[in-house]
Amino acid sequence: MPEIDRGRLRTLTDRERVRFAERHPRSAAAYANAGHLFGRVPMTWMNKTAAGFPVYADRARGARITDVDGHEYVDFCLGDTAAMAGHSPAPVVAAVTRRFGELGGASVMLPTEDAAAVGEELARRFGLPLWSFALTATDANRWAIRLLRAVTGRPRILVNSYCYHGSVDESLIVVGPDGRPRSREGNVGAPTDVTSTSRVAEFNDLAGLERELAYGDVAAVLMEPALTNIGIVLPEPGYLDGVRELTRRYGTYLINDETHTFSAGPGGATAAWALSPDVVTIGKAIGGGVPVGAYGLSAELAGRLGGRTDLDLVDMGGVGGTLAGNPVSMAATRATLEEVLTEAAFAGMAEVAAGFADGVRAIIERHALPWSVSRLGARVEYRFADPAPRTGTESAACADAELEDFLHVYLLNRGVLLTPFHNMALMCPETTAADVARHHEIFDAALTELRG
Ligand SMILES: Cc1ncc(COP(=O)(O)O)c(C=O)c1O
């Protein structure tokens, strides 16, 4: 393939940014008027936009978002998975309205019956019998880590290089170019040197994993069954079985973080690939857009924890939050699982996603680009590398911020949203083949312009 003409790429991106600014005067004004927000946005990551300033949302329903300037988008970002059930699905709206409006009470500090139904459904789907709740997947991970440190008496957590598990201190570690562990670049205010709390291995590298586990100080491996936050990196045959075998051999617990890999099916990758972790953590999509996190424990682990009278699991022991498991969160999660992200919905989403992946593959072939496409159920990603990267480090190395910005702003200007962090497209139950075709038409046009 001929090199991408970087001059042309910049000219086109500049043109698209001007066009974006012209078409979004209200978003521009909202951004200009947010002088009392740190970074002008509710949370600093919202400045991650290819366009120069963020699109301000007005309405969202199903697979569609309308911005304050009146433009409608097909939303393949879907809240970076938090809206995988679609925006404001009717059963969740009804459940939340009933719980918060009719019955009343979001913070009553008492359990509601919905939580037990959610626990039962999560147990059925993921195969772990005992569940507890948080409000974010980050907290689910944090609390699971603390529990596993407590029961093993071991200090360290092992993660994969270029993983993302939320802002969990122990996870901000990568394998450096010299093969040694080091803090992830840009790590903000680390409480302590991450290389003293964590170990790291490349995804798909069983020898590297064994080398680290052999130190005998790892309480838990915290991993996604497929990496999703550095592009999708799929497990090679035998890798996940090897992880399970090694973690058992070295007395280390295994946490599957299914927050994003839930796209693989109703029971995430754990059910789709017959995995048997000791803990599953999850969040985002299961709440249908309402904040929730959850962690499921094996009976063995729960038994060990239950026997530990020295651990304060009720008050000040470092596990829990006032709002965790609140009635609104539980009502929304129950409705999402029982009525929205059902088996039938997942089957439909996977079919639409397969069409997305096939179409993108055909377009990049036609343009003779050395890129690849990976799919995990309802989730698709295109990468600027072929074959697809095998590890997080390889995947990080094939990032191309300029190219990504161009494609994102080009799509945005024509009514298609991808996740701002990489080239991820997610399908919700209401995403249609026509939505996918719209993406493909614009993607094809963008590449045609780029190739000149
Ligand atoms: C795999 C994984 N775990 C955890 C998280 C953190 O989720 P939250 O932002 O809800 O805390 C994310 C967020 O993207 C994630 O991708």
Side-chain angles (χ1 to χ4, degrees):
M1 173 225 161
E3 284 289 299
I4 283 178
D5 177 341
R6 292 284 151 177
R8 182 175 185 81
L9 177 61
R10 272 172 225 135
T11 306
L12 286 172
T13 307
D14 290 346
R15 183 196 76 190
E16 290 299 318
R17 286 194 174 129
V18 170
R19 180 178 167 153
F20 177 84
E22 285 167 0
R23 283 167 45 88
H24 293 85
R26 278 194 66 180
S27 281
Y31 193 58
N33 290 336
H36 286 286
L37 298 179
F38 178 47
R40 295 197 173 276
V41 279
M43 183 61 218
T44 44
W45 58 256
M46 290 184 192
N47 277 321
K48 175 80 181 115
T49 164
F53 59 88
V55 168
Y56 280 65
D58 183 26
R59 278 160 289 144
R61 189 72 62 177
R64 294 278 187 286
I65 290 185
T66 307
D67 72 15
V68 291
D69 288 290
H71 307 296
E72 189 185 83
Y73 302 87
V74 177
D75 184 12
F76 289 106
C77 168
L78 293 170
D80 196 23
T81 311
M84 191 169 78
H87 295 291
S88 294
V92 180
V93 172
V96 169
T97 304
R98 178 169 182 274
R99 182 65 259 176
F100 190 49
E102 292 165 27
L103 301 174
S107 299
V108 292
M109 266 221 151
L110 295 171
T112 53
E113 289 168 337
D114 287 329
V118 172
E120 192 176 331
E121 179 61 9
L122 290 173
R124 191 184 70 78
R125 290 185 182 216
F126 291 94
L128 289 163
L130 295 158
W131 289 81
S132 204
F133 298 101
L135 283 185
T136 64
T138 302
D139 271 347
N141 281 326
R142 283 193 184 119
W143 300 343
I145 283 173
R146 291 184 77 110
L147 295 174
L148 296 178
R149 278 211 182 99
V151 291
T152 58
R154 293 179 174 190
R156 296 197 194 225
I157 302 302
L158 186 145
V159 297
N160 292 128
S161 197
Y162 288 96
C163 66
Y164 184 70
H165 297 285
S167 51
V168 173
D169 292 319
E170 291 85 346
S171 66
L172 297 169
I173 186 169
V174 293
V175 177
D178 58 358
R180 298 183 57 75
R182 68 171 196 203
S183 175
R184 190 151 176 172
E185 201 180 328
N187 187 354
V188 180
T192 187
D193 178 356
V194 70
T195 61
S196 69
T197 62
S198 306
R199 294 195 178 279
V200 59
E202 294 288 2
F203 194 78
N204 278 325
D205 176 10
L206 289 173
L209 175 65
E210 178 157 22
R211 191 177 57 238
E212 296 300 315
L213 292 182
Y215 287 98
D217 58 2
V218 177
V221 169
L222 168 62
M223 68 180 291
E224 293 186 283
L227 296 181
T228 64
N229 285 290
I230 193 81
I232 295 173
V233 180
L234 293 169
E236 292 178 340
Y239 171 63
L240 296 174
D241 287 344
V243 171
R244 184 63 281 194
E245 202 271 309
L246 286 174
T247 46
R248 288 213 172 103
R249 192 185 319 155
Y250 288 96
T252 298
Y253 281 108
L254 176 61
I255 309 172
N256 274 2
D257 181 343
E258 288 271 20
T259 306
H260 281 182
T261 50
F262 186 33
S263 66
T270 296
W273 300 337
L275 308 176
S276 50
D278 304 294
V279 177
V280 162
T281 54
I282 192 164
K284 296 198 186 183
I286 57 168
V290 173
V292 69
Y295 52 101
L297 309 175
S298 69
E300 182 270 341
L301 180 54
R304 279 181 81 182
L305 283 163
R308 288 284 299 272
T309 49
D310 60 317
L311 300 179
D312 179 0
L313 293 174
V314 173
D315 195 357
M316 300 289 282
V319 178
T322 312
L323 303 178
N326 76 72
V328 172
S329 176
M330 293 295 93
T333 306
R334 182 177 186 174
T336 304
L337 293 175
E338 289 181 355
E339 299 175 67
V340 187
L341 289 177
T342 57
E343 281 182 29
F346 270 102
M349 287 149 68
E351 196 181 317
V352 176
F356 192 106
D358 290 346
V360 171
R361 249 181 231 117
I363 293 166
I364 61 185
E365 248 171 53
R366 199 160 55 245
H367 289 276
L369 289 163
W371 298 356
S372 54
V373 182
S374 302
R375 179 167 78 89
L376 184 63
R379 186 184 192 89
V380 182
E381 179 106 29
Y382 38 94
R383 304 293 296 156
F384 307 127
D386 186 25
R390 294 179 53 249
T391 69
T393 300
E394 278 179 25
S395 199
C398 75
D400 186 330
E402 280 184 345
L403 196 49
E404 207 165 277
D405 277 359
F406 164 66
L407 290 170
H408 285 217
V409 70
Y410 195 98
L411 286 159
L412 197 60
N413 279 336
R414 291 157 185 81
V416 170
L417 270 172
L418 295 186
T419 196
F421 298 101
H422 36 100
N423 303 314
M424 188 279 282
L426 183 66
M427 316 298 134
C428 74
E430 290 174 68
T431 311
T432 63
D435 296 335
V436 168
R438 182 156 158 201
H439 166 273
H440 290 356
E441 194 185 318
I442 301 165
F443 181 66
D444 194 15
L447 295 185
T448 302
E449 283 212 63
L450 185 60
R451 301 296 302 283

